[in-house]
Amino acid sequence: MQHRVVALVGPPLEMYRVTGASAVFGDHGPDIPRHYDFALCAERPGPVRTTMGVDVIVEHGLEALAGAGTVLIPGWHAGPEVSPAVGAAVRAAHRRGARIVALCSGIHVPASLGLLDGRAAAVHWEMTADLAARYPLIRSDASVLYVDHGDVATAGASATTVDLCLNQVRREHGAALAMRIGRQLAAAPHREGNQRQFPRLPTSGPVPDSLAPLLDWITAHLHQSLTVEDMAARAGLSPRTLTRHFTDRLGVSPGRWLLERRIAATRALLEETELPVGAIAQRVGLSSAVNLRRRFRTALGTTPAAYRRSFR
């Protein structure tokens, strides 16, 4: 059976978060296996006004949450006001094992139910002070892309919707499927949740419009023995400046980002091929089977062989 994702919506609905999630969890054609089914529900079914000025017709009521494997809350413009009916339906879904995913202002729903008490949560930077006052038991973090506890996950900004949804695909079905869906959507290279939501404003010096061309180049040359100096030369920057830009924009150093890409490529090759570990190490630039095993265990807490058995 497909995993059912149900988005709980209300007016005014910001469509991007819903369409971003449905793009990840929807149909990707015959060449990509489909593991998810996506639907909308509302406390009051019928027309729901969107921020685009048009209505979306929502056919299902809160009863749809009873069959959901994931309850997606793409926003909650009612603020902290959560009706008893919505609260009961979401709490019941969580109690039976459904995953609760809250985006931007949607955090009010799991927060009001106590599902984030004593836990970290990704929040939009404009909501930090208000959330701290309303829910002092939550450790709000406005710097990260998302925080995923498994049963409850949060993302602060609309643009992180795809990141968080792809992270769920990766958790449940492996890195290879998440990478294939991401490539089809032309999504940015995989970003870990601990990367920054937004860059700090520069204090001096030229700032490139985007690191994306460099990140694409690095991804295409993983098999090479790249250094920070190589990456800096490609970007036309000094190593020190490049390191600062990576830290400000992505929250990690160039070397750390490169290692994360190599681990992600390793996971995909373990899932989709029968290549021996030594051959994979050469393909992803980790030089040897011994080095790959050491790096892999440090990153994921398991061995390449055990990982391959789990996902093949």
Side-chain angles (χ1 to χ4, degrees):
M1 293 180 61
Q2 292 179 340
H3 180 113
R4 188 164 179 80
V5 179
V6 178
L8 172 59
V9 302
L13 172 61
E14 182 178 326
M15 288 298 298
Y16 174 80
R17 299 172 202 147
V18 173
T19 56
S22 66
V24 173
F25 295 124
D27 185 6
H28 299 281
D31 295 331
I32 298 180
R34 183 170 183 180
H35 296 282
Y36 299 92
D37 175 51
F38 189 84
L40 301 180
C41 81
E43 183 175 10
R44 298 177 181 83
V48 174
R49 198 68 173 173
T50 71
T51 55
M52 298 169 58
V54 297
D55 291 346
V56 170
I57 304 300
V58 179
E59 298 180 354
H60 305 291
L62 294 177
E63 71 281 353
L65 299 186
T70 293
V71 176
L72 179 80
I73 307 167
W76 201 254
H77 291 287
E81 302 300 324
V82 177
S83 72
V86 167
V90 173
R91 188 185 296 279
H94 179 262
R95 188 181 299 117
R96 63 174 174 75
R99 174 177 164 86
I100 310 300
V101 176
L103 308 173
C104 201
S105 59
I107 193 175
H108 282 296
V109 177
S112 67
L113 298 176
L115 301 182
L116 290 168
D117 286 356
R119 298 168 125 184
V123 302
H124 195 283
W125 52 92
E126 293 179 350
M127 298 174 58
T128 306
D130 180 60
L131 283 170
R134 293 184 185 277
Y135 313 109
L137 297 180
I138 298 176
R139 300 193 303 275
S140 299
D141 192 339
S143 68
V144 296
L145 297 180
Y146 57 83
V147 175
D148 190 347
H149 296 289
D151 64 320
V152 182
T154 52
S158 295
T160 61
T161 298
V162 171
D163 293 296
L164 180 51
C165 293
L166 284 175
N167 180 64
Q168 177 166 342
V169 175
R170 188 164 45 253
R171 287 176 62 114
E172 296 173 348
H173 299 287
L177 179 62
M179 291 171 68
R180 292 171 70 186
I181 293 174
R183 282 196 298 267
Q184 189 184 72
L185 300 179
H190 167 56
R191 301 187 295 173
E192 295 288 352
N194 60 3
Q195 292 175 347
R196 296 185 186 277
Q197 283 197 47
F198 56 95
R200 293 183 300 189
L201 294 176
T203 55
S204 62
V207 177
D209 290 338
S210 173
L211 286 172
L214 176 61
L215 302 186
D216 290 341
W217 179 82
I218 294 171
T219 302
H221 293 80
L222 285 180
H223 61 284
Q224 298 180 3
S225 179
L226 298 176
T227 65
V228 174
E229 287 73 20
D230 295 331
M231 293 184 272
R234 178 72 184 186
L237 301 170
S238 70
R240 184 175 180 178
T241 300
L242 180 69
T243 298
R244 187 175 72 248
H245 289 334
F246 261 75
T247 302
D248 287 349
R249 291 166 179 259
L250 301 176
V252 293
S253 68
R256 179 66 185 177
W257 193 91
L258 175 60
L259 178 60
E260 289 175 353
R261 301 294 77 70
R262 285 175 166 158
I263 295 297
T266 298
R267 292 170 67 176
L269 289 169
L270 288 170
E271 294 169 20
E272 294 193 320
T273 76
E274 297 291 347
L275 286 171
V277 172
I280 293 176
Q282 293 296 320
R283 286 200 182 192
V284 302
L286 288 175
S287 72
S288 70
V290 172
N291 187 40
L292 185 150
R293 289 189 180 98
R294 179 173 62 86
R295 299 282 192 176
F296 199 86
R297 178 176 285 279
T298 299
L300 299 179
T302 188
T303 65
Y307 183 89
R308 173 171 267 165
R309 286 194 299 270
S310 297
F311 282 98
R312 285 188 64 79

